Amino acid sequence: MLSRIKEMFHTYSYVVTGVLFACALFITVFNRTGIIPAILLWQILAVSFLCVLGNFFFPQHEMTRRERIVRRLLHYLYINLVVFGSARVFYWFDEDNLLMNVFMFLIILVVFFTVSYTVHRENRKLSALLNERLEQYQNKKS
């Protein structure tokens, strides 16, 4: 359980960074006044936390390729639900503006795949390092 919490905090830092860039881009494109309420920072942190809870879609054991794809799709849909739901609750955008909706959908896609790729790459590096150290340990023992 402790490793799961560490993993979530690690992912949280990436998600917050991605959401911050996404918000900066969204505000630059759609908010010409440049006025940003301070509460937005707390909303970013809260929404990022809710998005990271989507990590529970993935069990701590090995999955088949098909199961991994299905879970990743469900995770992505969950994140869209969280972000669009939060956007509606916090009045982040005009729901009738198709351009804003498409932009938000695309930016979620970019952040989702960027964070997923980064976390996956780091997990692979860690796995390779652990395997290398395990091999060194076993060679020493022999």
Side-chain angles (χ1 to χ4, degrees), residues 74-103:
L74 289 173
H75 188 204
Y76 177 69
L77 293 173
Y78 166 78
I79 287 176
N80 273 280
L81 180 70
V82 166
V83 173
F84 278 97
S86 298
R88 187 173 191 166
V89 168
F90 297 134
Y91 304 104
W92 287 344
F93 71 104
D94 178 14
E95 296 170 9
D96 297 329
N97 186 332
L98 181 63
L99 185 59
M100 279 186 177
N101 283 291
V102 169
F103 188 87

Side-chain angles (χ1 to χ4, degrees), residues 40-62:
L40 178 64
L41 299 173
W42 293 108
Q43 292 168 354
I44 289 170
L45 294 174
V47 171
S48 296
F49 176 75
L50 291 174
C51 287
V52 169
L53 291 179
N55 285 7
F56 286 115
F57 280 104
F58 301 97
Q60 291 287 2
H61 59 80
E62 286 294 317

Side-chain angles (χ1 to χ4, degrees), residues 27 31-36:
I27 289 167
N31 183 358
R32 299 284 185 217
T33 64
I35 298 171
I36 304 168

Side-chain angles (χ1 to χ4, degrees), residues 21 58 60 62 65 70 83 88 112-113 122:
F21 276 111
F58 301 97
Q60 291 287 2
E62 286 294 317
R65 177 171 159 67
V70 168
V83 173
R88 187 173 191 166
F112 178 80
F113 280 112
E122 284 197 3

Side-chain angles (χ1 to χ4, degrees), residues 59-74:
Q60 291 287 2
H61 59 80
E62 286 294 317
M63 297 178 288
T64 65
R65 177 171 159 67
R66 180 184 169 123
E67 185 181 10
R68 201 171 31 253
I69 289 169
V70 168
R71 287 178 184 266
R72 186 159 291 157
L73 178 64
L74 289 173

Side-chain angles (χ1 to χ4, degrees), residues 6-22 44-45 47-49 51-52 55 79 107-108 110-123 125:
K6 284 182 181 178
E7 172 196 330
M8 291 182 75
F9 274 116
H10 190 80
T11 304
Y12 181 74
S13 65
Y14 290 125
V15 171
V16 168
T17 303
V19 170
L20 189 59
F21 276 111
I44 289 170
L45 294 174
V47 171
S48 296
F49 176 75
C51 287
V52 169
N55 285 7
I79 287 176
I107 203 74
I108 292 169
V110 168
V111 170
F112 178 80
F113 280 112
T114 302
V115 170
S116 294
Y117 173 76
T118 304
V119 168
H120 178 72
R121 188 187 67 197
E122 284 197 3
N123 286 342
K125 282 182 186 178

